[in-house]
Amino acid sequence: MLTTGPRGTRDILPDSSGYWQYVENMIREVCRNFAYQEIRTPIFEHTELFLRGIGETTDIVEKEMYTFTDRGKRNITLRPENTAAVVRSYLENKLYAGPQPTKLFYIGPMFRYDRPQAGRYRQFHQFGVEAIGAQGPAIDAEIISLAVEFLNRLGLNDLKLLINSVGCPACRPVYRTKLQEFFRDKVSQLCTDCQSRYDRNPMRILDCKNETCTEHSQGAPHMVDCLCDECSSHFTGLKEHLTAAGINFVINPRLVRGLDYYTKTAFEIQYSPLGAQSAVCGGGRYDGLIAECGGQPTPGIGFAIGIERVLLALEKQELLPIINNAIDVFVAPLGAETQAAAFQILTELRRANIAVDMDFINRSLKAQMKYANKYPAKFVALIGQDELAQNKVMLKNMETGSQELVERAELVHMIIEGMEK
Ligand code: ATP
Ligand code: MG
């Protein structure tokens, strides 16, 4: 137990943290481009928020939450996703009083009691965006376009964008009835989950991953054929905007989110080389959610992208960048008496914002040179007994191999000059 982390968790080690930084930098760059600002909310919230904000009939709430009672007897849950928390923060901090829409992004860990496998973990990370306070399809297209742009800039191009409309509380009840009629004779043959979904939330039968359920839902009526005028023109508007932006999409009538506060646009982005866990992005509109959480009725839309899946895709396609750990200078003390002087040089260089390391474990000269080369270091500053006595340093340029004896007082200046060459 002491040397094994909990199942479904992973360490991000130094050999891959550079890839995470690369992806996170891309997120910040794209969000800046699209004028979305970062929000950071706590990783735990009152359980009630997720019961309301995600819905009691979803897999997340039914099976996947990390919930506990804290010492003050509060019911707490580690966030399984972040939309509900962002909406909570939007209301608590009255972000609606600022210019609208409120355009936010977040990056951070989420927690779900999922079955661990490639691309599926119990602590995983999402990058998500939320646009709260805009109603028309243009913002839906902006949100989708942001996700696509982010993935494209990383080099992921063969994306499959699936879109659908899940209607609204005006047109969905009619559809729900139609769907129940369609499944009436088939209920007993569906999986046990879907049998309970039949009454509680029949739309979710459509996204069941069980093969038998998939077969039985062939020929089921489509929500897009039952939309009210408002939802229908919203969907048409979305398609027009996506087309105008040159973003390819496929309509997938099985893409559903069966809760009342999920409305109109639902979308998913798949990257098929990932195989079983091919969904990299899921999103949609939630015009009923803010009121559900106690605010004034306010429209909203967002998505979440799984960062681990993005990294898996980048690795698979050999799109990971080369991470540069190079340093400018390696300070090499030769003998214990020179350590303090070496440390002083190291400190001076660092104060001048030069990337520096030194030997801390009394390596031999040969081993220090080898170590410096591994970084690689552009210069090695050697300080032995003689150099110490003369207040000098032997500065070796590792690229040219040339070396010269320099005054210690000159060192920072010479290195800055040498780096500019
Ligand atoms: P799935 O059907 O794969 O379980 P989901 O519908 O639960 O996905 P969302 O809640 O829409 O996923 O989350 C958005 C994205 O977060 C997913 O597309 C995926 O990239 C990522 N994701 C979700 N669950 C996990 C997990 N357990 N481990 C890693 N990434 C995940
Ligand atoms: Mg899931």
Side-chain angles (χ1 to χ4, degrees):
M1 294 284 262
L2 289 181
T3 53
T4 313
R7 192 164 138 77
T9 65
R10 300 190 319 159
D11 300 307
I12 298 165
L13 297 172
D15 65 359
S16 58
S17 53
Y19 303 139
W20 283 79
Q21 288 163 13
Y22 166 69
V23 169
E24 287 161 5
N25 290 341
M26 193 65 87
I27 291 170
R28 292 175 199 286
E29 187 181 304
V30 174
C31 285
R32 180 157 176 75
N33 226 207
F34 279 69
Y36 282 69
Q37 289 177 324
E38 186 173 7
I39 183 167
R40 301 187 191 194
T41 58
I43 61 163
F44 62 86
E45 297 276 350
H46 292 124
T47 302
E48 181 62 26
L49 177 69
F50 300 120
L51 301 185
R52 283 287 188 99
I54 303 173
E56 311 213 15
T57 60
T58 56
D59 280 355
I60 293 181
V61 168
E62 282 179 342
K63 307 176 195 164
E64 298 174 359
M65 295 208 305
Y66 277 93
T67 296
F68 62 96
T69 309
D70 76 4
R71 287 170 191 270
K73 308 259 183 307
R74 293 173 200 89
N75 201 352
I76 296 294
T77 296
L78 301 185
R79 63 182 186 193
E81 56 101 63
N82 211 27
T83 303
V86 169
V87 165
R88 194 266 308 138
S89 177
Y90 170 86
L91 293 172
E92 183 171 347
N93 299 294
K94 303 188 173 54
L95 300 186
Y96 47 79
Q100 296 301 301
T102 302
K103 305 209 298 185
L104 303 168
F105 80 91
Y106 60 83
I107 306 173
M110 306 295 154
F111 306 85
R112 295 184 193 178
Y113 197 79
D114 248 323
R115 197 166 69 80
Q117 54 200 288
R120 194 176 287 287
Y121 315 98
R122 291 183 174 169
Q123 173 169 340
F124 63 100
H125 297 76
Q126 285 183 337
F127 150 45
V129 310
E130 313 290 351
I132 306 176
Q135 206 161 14
I139 197 89
D140 304 37
E142 172 174 275
I143 289 270
I144 292 174
S145 156
L146 196 166
V148 171
E149 181 66 21
F150 164 69
L151 295 165
N152 284 346
R153 282 195 201 178
L154 291 171
L156 300 171
N157 291 310
D158 297 319
L159 304 168
K160 193 166 171 191
L161 167 64
L162 307 172
I163 63 168
N164 193 23
S165 175
V166 297
C168 70
C171 50
R172 207 179 305 129
V174 184
Y175 175 63
R176 189 188 153 108
T177 311
K178 277 195 184 176
L179 210 53
Q180 279 173 327
E181 273 164 27
F182 174 82
F183 283 113
R184 186 161 301 148
D185 314 329
K186 308 183 168 96
V187 186
S188 61
Q189 293 156 63
L190 302 175
C191 72
T192 46
D193 278 348
C194 283
Q195 290 184 13
S196 84
R197 285 171 187 150
Y198 177 80
D199 288 316
R200 297 167 72 194
N201 194 348
M203 280 174 86
R204 292 220 24 243
I205 301 174
L206 298 178
D207 74 344
C208 181
K209 283 161 187 149
N210 183 303
E211 251 177 56
T212 326
C213 300
T214 313
E215 267 168 39
H216 282 302
S217 56
Q218 296 301 320
H222 293 167
M223 184 70 231
V224 283
D225 298 327
C226 305
L227 297 175
C228 62
D229 289 348
E230 191 194 317
C231 289
S232 176
S233 74
H234 187 97
F235 195 49
T236 306
L238 171 63
K239 290 182 282 190
E240 280 170 6
H241 280 81
L242 291 176
T243 306
I247 297 171
N248 296 325
F249 58 87
V250 178
I251 297 169
N252 182 350
R254 303 179 69 96
L255 201 66
V256 296
R257 307 178 121 196
L259 297 162
D260 280 355
Y261 38 82
Y262 290 115
T263 53
K264 301 186 173 122
T265 308
F267 67 97
E268 185 172 297
I269 300 175
Q270 295 180 346
Y271 191 68
S272 57
L274 283 176
Q277 266 63 249
S278 67
V280 291
C281 174
R285 186 165 268 287
Y286 45 81
D287 290 350
L289 179 59
I290 288 120
E292 182 73 24
C293 294
Q296 292 297 317
T298 310
I301 179 164
F303 69 68
I305 288 182
I307 299 181
E308 281 83 355
R309 291 191 196 173
V310 168
L311 283 164
L312 277 174
L314 295 179
E315 188 184 356
K316 208 162 193 142
Q317 306 303 107
E318 298 183 8
L319 289 166
L320 288 172
I322 290 162
I323 302 298
N324 180 4
N325 290 318
I327 55 172
D328 302 315
V329 185
F330 186 78
V331 181
L334 300 173
E337 315 75 45
T338 63
Q339 276 267 354
F343 193 72
Q344 190 180 41
I345 293 168
L346 177 85
T347 307
E348 277 167 22
L349 290 167
R350 284 178 175 165
R351 286 187 182 143
N353 198 25
I354 294 165
V356 200
D357 197 6
M358 75 175 241
D359 174 68
F360 289 98
I361 55 171
N362 301 318
R363 285 181 180 84
S364 69
L365 174 61
K366 199 175 152 202
Q368 290 199 47
M369 296 307 279
K370 203 171 147 190
Y371 187 73
N373 257 326
K374 256 198 188 149
Y375 270 104
K378 207 163 176 190
F379 297 96
V380 170
L382 280 162
I383 176 155
Q385 301 288 356
D386 293 350
E387 287 84 4
L388 185 65
Q390 297 171 52
N391 218 9
K392 290 187 173 166
V393 172
M394 182 63 83
L395 186 63
K396 181 165 177 149
N397 184 322
M398 299 294 276
E399 279 157 21
T400 62
S402 69
Q403 57 181 42
E404 61 181 307
L405 206 54
V406 304
E407 294 290 339
R408 267 181 58 181
E410 289 288 306
L411 186 66
V412 170
H413 176 73
M414 289 200 60
I415 285 177
I416 292 175
E417 277 204 337
M419 287 185 340
E420 280 161 5
K421 272 179 206 158

